[in-house]
Amino acid sequence: MQELDGKVAVVTGAGSGIGEGIARAAADAGMRVVVADIDLDSAQAVAASIGDDAMACRVDVSDLASVEALRDAALERFGAVHLLCNNAGVWVGALMVEADIRDWQFLINVNLYGVIHGVTAFGPLLAAQGEGHIVNTASMGGLISGPPEGLYTTTKFAVVGLSESLLMEMADKGVGVSVLCPGLVDTQLTTKSFEVRPQQLDPGIDHEQPAPDTASGIAPQDVGRRVIDAVREGEFYIITHDDYRDIIAMRHQGILDALDAHARRYGSTSGREV
Ligand SMILES: NC(=O)c1ccc[n+]([C@@H]2O[C@H](COP(=O)([O-])OP(=O)(O)OC[C@H]3O[C@@H](n4cnc5c(N)ncnc54)[C@H](O)[C@@H]3O)[C@@H](O)[C@H]2O)c1
């Protein structure tokens, strides 16, 4: 979607961090912006600082009705939606064998269902209008994995897979799709995740796992600009760091090696599905 001036962006998790960076970059590109977050105060502060072309909206992305209400509020105020950024997310560090089922539920509800709800509520609208773009925030943890990120990477790998399929589904509908896979970004992710966690999904356990050192990360504004560039250029993978190249290559080489080993042991087989 090359022409963004005057179009409408909805960004979830935009009260802070990467979402705020995307909202500001969208506004800089001339877009009208819906700054959506579960923390209405922070959404209002960001929207106020952007100006009259921004509106704040409270949304809980883990709740489909709340995301549908966000869509309706955006349509009522601006008449259309062109760019949807399913960005809200949370983090929990825990070894999978030590995690409480509520740790899983909290992460899946926000990081995965949040994206699913965005696609469900806004996807038909964008497809019907024949123009638009969806950006789903995954993570470098959606391409590579390792403890103590097992729960988090489970949700982010799912977001990458969902986005790859969505790209193909939307290809003939005039709707672009991107998946954002940042490395470390200097945001409030690790602290905010505790603040927004619903009490019924908080087992009250300190898993004593090291949190990612987000303070050493790049600025969220840089990520926001990168996202808007990718929307304009129609790029699918949005990468913010080059320093994971070797690990990604190693992971993919492992898959290719397994294909070779299969062919050597069992002979070549045809058919895409197994
Ligand atoms: N910071 C990093 O290093 C990093 C790296 C890779 C991916 N990410 C991803 O980037 C996205 C944004 O995170 P961030 O780093 O900017 O953190 P952040 O905490 O600064 O921003 C996330 C925002 O999402 C909001 N939020 C949380 N739960 C919500 C819900 N249920 N409904 C609506 N809003 C909700 C929070 O209130 C917060 O304002 C997340 O999906 C995260 O997983 C972050």
Side-chain angles (χ1 to χ4, degrees):
M1 195 165 61
Q2 287 184 330
E3 190 47 65
L4 301 182
D5 195 27
K7 298 226 166 92
V8 180
V10 175
V11 185
T12 67
S16 165
I18 294 171
E20 177 179 352
I22 298 172
R24 292 190 185 285
D28 288 345
M31 300 188 84
R32 293 170 288 163
V33 186
V34 180
V35 178
D37 204 288
I38 197 166
D39 177 351
L40 182 59
D41 288 346
S42 64
Q44 281 172 332
V46 171
S49 73
I50 290 175
D52 288 345
D53 278 343
M55 94 182 236
C57 199
R58 185 187 181 277
V59 68
D60 178 356
V61 298
S62 68
D63 174 12
L64 176 60
S66 180
V67 180
E68 288 171 338
L70 169 66
R71 175 201 60 206
D72 296 344
L75 289 175
E76 192 180 329
R77 168 75 187 266
F78 293 126
V81 174
H82 304 93
L83 172 62
L84 169 68
C85 297
N86 291 312
N87 167 79
V90 289
W91 176 87
V92 174
L95 299 179
M96 288 185 279
V97 292
E98 294 178 359
D100 187 277
I101 197 64
R102 287 164 287 185
D103 293 320
W104 287 99
Q105 288 164 341
F106 173 50
L107 278 168
I108 291 170
N109 286 353
V110 181
N111 293 4
L112 181 53
Y113 268 110
V115 176
I116 293 169
H117 292 155
V119 170
T120 303
F122 288 83
L125 177 77
L126 299 188
Q129 110 195 337
E131 181 189 30
H133 199 105
I134 298 174
V135 178
N136 296 324
T137 300
S139 168
M140 208 25 89
L143 301 174
I144 55 178
S145 54
E149 308 283 339
L151 285 74
Y152 182 79
T153 59
T154 297
T155 64
K156 296 301 188 176
F157 266 70
V159 170
V160 172
L162 179 158
S163 303
E164 288 181 355
S165 286
L166 188 65
L167 173 75
M168 294 176 219
E169 253 189 66
M170 290 294 202
D172 63 352
K173 296 182 173 60
V175 179
V177 176
S178 303
V179 63
L180 171 61
C181 298
L184 286 175
V185 185
D186 184 7
T187 71
Q188 301 180 46
L189 182 65
T190 53
T191 50
K192 206 82 201 265
S193 298
F194 289 104
E195 290 169 26
V196 300
R197 188 164 179 159
Q199 209 179 353
Q200 71 274 18
L201 293 184
D202 187 354
I205 302 168
D206 179 358
H207 293 295
E208 294 177 1
Q209 295 299 327
D213 180 18
T214 51
S216 69
I218 63 173
Q221 298 89 321
D222 292 342
V223 180
R225 283 191 286 271
R226 183 76 190 84
V227 167
I228 294 303
D229 287 346
V231 170
R232 280 208 179 95
E233 298 299 324
E235 294 164 351
F236 177 67
Y237 291 109
I238 310 177
I239 301 294
T240 62
H241 295 62
D242 189 38
D243 45 358
Y244 300 91
R245 180 180 293 270
D246 292 348
I247 310 176
I248 291 173
M250 210 187 314
R251 175 170 185 270
H252 287 190
Q253 193 57 52
I255 297 170
L256 295 175
D257 289 348
L259 289 171
D260 290 341
H262 168 84
R264 269 197 311 276
R265 205 174 301 153
Y266 304 107
S268 191
T269 48
S270 62
R272 294 181 64 219
E273 312 276 340
V274 286

